[in-house]
Amino acid sequence: MVGGQLGQPVDALLDNRSDRWHGKTLELAGDALTPASAVEAITKATGHPVRYQELGEAAAAELGDSIVHAWRLMRTTGGWRADIAAIREIHPGLRTFDTWLTETGAAQIKSLLDNDQVSATH
């Protein structure tokens, strides 16, 4: 899921009220990207060279409980297994990562990267 869209599919599920989803788990995602493809898209959209670096468990833990939890989840379950086609059936307007970058994401990320560069030079 990207930027602010989490509630839309959930609302659609609740409005649907069919037995189709009763008792089932539905993982939410708007795209299935590899880290390399996400980095490539961010670099292209922002004009900033971005790189992906795999963290070890200790480094992930230093970033906080939610980060190390996600790190462990990825290694024990293989990551998310969202049925993106089913989610798009529920919410056809769900944005892709590239759409989010084009609409608002690239500007948000670029602002953070620009601020990091300013901070690094002062």
Side-chain angles (χ1 to χ4, degrees):
M1 303 297 302
V2 292
Q5 286 197 320
L6 183 59
Q8 295 168 348
V10 173
D11 287 345
L13 283 172
L14 293 173
D15 288 343
N16 192 336
R17 301 200 193 274
S18 73
D19 289 336
R20 178 178 180 189
W21 306 111
H22 183 75
K24 295 183 180 175
T25 300
L26 182 65
E27 294 188 23
L28 300 178
D31 249 333
L33 299 172
T34 64
S37 60
V39 163
E40 183 180 336
I42 292 167
T43 297
K44 182 179 175 185
T46 65
H48 285 272
V50 179
R51 66 183 174 92
Y52 170 74
Q53 180 177 339
E54 181 78 23
L55 296 178
E57 185 173 10
E62 288 177 18
L63 295 172
D65 290 341
S66 62
I67 302 297
V68 75
H69 176 72
W71 187 96
R72 289 176 182 145
L73 180 70
M74 294 297 288
R75 273 124 194 107
T76 59
T77 67
W80 285 265
R81 292 181 183 84
D83 185 344
I84 296 170
I87 296 166
R88 289 194 185 285
E89 183 180 317
I90 296 164
H91 181 54
L94 187 65
R95 291 181 285 180
T96 65
F97 187 71
D98 286 336
T99 302
W100 171 74
L101 282 173
T102 299
E103 290 176 356
T104 61
Q108 293 170 9
I109 295 169
K110 186 174 183 336
S111 174
L112 294 171
L113 295 172
D114 288 345
N115 287 337
D116 281 350
Q117 286 184 343
V118 170
S119 296
T121 61
H122 289 89

